[in-house]
Amino acid sequence: MNQMRAFFFVVNTNGIGEFYKRINPNNMSFLFDSFKGWKQYCLDKDITLYDSVIEYEMTQKNKKEADIWTGLGKAYQVMKEAVDTGLQEDMTSRSGMINNGAKKVYKHPLSVLSPEFQRLIARALAAKEVNSCMGRVVAAPTAGASGILPGTLYTLQEIHQLEDQKILEGLLVGAGIALIIEEKASLAGAVGGCQAETGSAAAMASGAMVFCLGGSIDQIFNAVAITIQCMLGLVCDPVAGLVEIPCVVRNASASAIANSSAQIALADVSAVIPVDECIEAMGEIGASMETRYKETALGGLAATLTGQEIAKRVLIQDIEILPDEELPQ
Amino acid sequence: MGSKSSVFDMIGPVMIGPSSSHTAGVVRIARAAIRVLGGSPENAVITFYNSFARTYEGHGSDKAILGGLMDFKTDDPHIREAFDIIKERGIQYTFKSIGNASVYHPNTIKLVLTKGAKTIEVIGESLGGGLINIAEVDGFNANFTAQSHTLIIKAQDVAGAIAFISNIIAQEQTNIATMSVSRKGKNDLACHVIEMDSGIRATTIDYLKTIPWIKDLIYIPDIDL
């Protein structure tokens, strides 16, 4: 094998993975390298998208199937509790920047679009406010984006009267989507900006929603592509470095985009640029994004006059600066 | 990049907010440290370094570290009330923040913990996503993740020590994932840090403790269990 690898390396530096995939197309370890490969794998084996995710977790992570369903059930339960907690309990963050916004939205007498849309936005805010206020959440895929799957799936389940089992299958589809984004781009704000966190969560949500509503593999992947197209370029510029402003409202807007993309994809309106290429574009944009837009709180909203004033107030100013001879070596 | 992620890295972990590096990772550093000490401390001196020095309060890392010192898990809602609970339990603590320790990782915490006559010093790094690295234990390089089962053995620098220890572990049918040995000087004490894929029996730990050249042994099972 090693000789073969060396040989192919000389012939074609990009061909190693492709070569192994060709000689062993059913090798699970290549499954979440691309959406194209994921679809082909499921078609070849005649299994659903979520079956393949279960199989991956069992063969690559040595998990038992029953434990996977139990873990997903627990995760969805925590997501729903986060929504309810955010709408019922006091949600004031230590900095004071987050102050019970979700409840105000939920109770407001005037609906801009519809009561369902109002609830969607309130729920996404609620779960994310719980995160900002040191409550319990599911990082999906990250803590900064922890309001998006709860807000969208809770609302979808309510509107369409879906069984919990269907939502758990949708979460598996979302996990498969995130595994590929992690492989081809990034899920971390410090690496790819906000697009990597709220963008990825919105893509997971949109794909999961289309799946739950009976969409085809192409429609699911199209929803992912359209969502990514809408979230591209978003920078991570948290005020005072806290996971509060603008993270909380971006969880609401990302949830809205997940819904608009699902609506577009279900109608078979093509994203034109294939999903794998959309993810690659996200990776390329993330790689060329300046450091001050990657969670460092040095650019964007964090660098505004007000942003800096808030930082001065909430960050610890009286830290020690040790003389050289006392510094750890 | 190491091996690929799990479904439960994408849908998870379940954790107390707001940030995996400022809360989940910080809790785990403290949970690893109290296992080095052998229980919750009576007194703790907690130093936040570099980026953490300025940001720990706003992110609630102070509550996270105190919660971890009381062995709260990363998803325990009591972390929010850590200040009140630690007061009830009578644990003394001091916070320090140092901004310019550039040799350390940006998100580093030093814990000096005392229980009875025993005092330990642990330096931990929060790497993001809740992952941690315990960089030092009592001044020795440690570099373990606390995600698997870890054995820390301080031993005299005798010939054949590594072979002896790895042989004993092999008898337990457990696989060594990583092993590092460091010492402060020639013929001084050496520190063996061994990460294993599965746990070892208490009788084996007790046997190792009877070996005359083994001066101290700490066994830390997977801290998330």
Side-chain angles (χ1 to χ4, degrees), chain B:
Chain B
M1 287 293 285
S3 63
K4 279 194 176 181
S5 297
S6 151
V7 164
F8 294 102
D9 297 318
M10 305 295 110
I11 309 290
V14 175
M15 56 170 272
I16 297 302
S19 122
S20 51
S21 49
H22 282 82
T23 40
V26 170
V27 170
R28 297 181 77 235
I29 287 171
R31 296 190 78 215
I34 59 172
R35 280 159 180 75
V36 174
L37 181 67
S40 281
E42 287 150 13
N43 187 65
V45 180
I46 302 147
T47 311
F48 289 95
Y49 288 95
N50 303 337
S51 172
F52 260 10
R54 281 185 200 284
T55 60
Y56 80 85
E57 211 174 75
H59 284 89
S61 306
D62 43 5
K63 296 180 186 176
I65 200 89
L66 297 181
L69 290 176
M70 296 185 283
D71 209 18
F72 295 171
K73 288 190 175 183
T74 48
D75 65 345
D76 190 333
H78 290 105
I79 289 171
R80 227 158 95 172
E81 286 101 47
F83 281 118
D84 296 333
I85 301 172
I86 204 158
K87 203 172 166 186
E88 284 165 23
R89 296 194 185 177
I91 298 173
Q92 304 296 315
Y93 60 89
T94 319
F95 287 115
K96 291 183 181 176
S97 42
I98 292 174
N100 62 330
S102 55
V103 293
Y104 287 161
H105 181 276
N107 290 342
T108 295
I109 299 173
K110 181 166 85 182
L111 292 168
V112 178
L113 308 179
T114 306
K115 183 186 181 189
K118 193 175 181 185
T119 295
I120 59 138
E121 181 189 291
V122 168
I123 295 176
E125 304 164 345
S126 185
L127 306 177
L131 298 176
I132 62 166
N133 178 49
I134 300 298
E136 286 183 24
V137 173
D138 291 337
F140 289 102
N141 286 330
N143 290 315
F144 63 93
T145 63
Q147 259 179 326
S148 45
H149 303 262
T150 310
L151 202 53
I152 303 172
I153 297 174
K154 283 182 213 160
Q156 277 169 353
D157 193 12
V158 298
I162 296 173
F164 178 83
I165 294 167
S166 49
N167 230 323
I168 298 285
I169 294 169
Q171 298 306 317
E172 291 285 295
Q173 309 277 319
T174 185
N175 189 36
I176 294 179
T178 70
M179 180 165 187
S180 72
V181 183
S182 65
R183 59 178 187 181
K184 286 178 172 166
K186 209 173 175 183
N187 298 324
D188 202 344
L189 275 189
C191 184
H192 304 245
V193 179
I194 304 147
E195 289 185 282
M196 302 165 295
D197 290 339
S198 49
I200 55 175
R201 290 172 303 167
T203 46
T204 305
I205 306 261
D206 290 340
Y207 169 64
L208 282 170
K209 282 181 179 169
T210 64
I211 308 294
W213 47 266
I214 291 183
K215 296 301 168 195
D216 191 17
L217 182 149
I218 300 156
Y219 177 52
I220 307 173
D222 183 341
I223 56 165
D224 294 318
L225 294 177

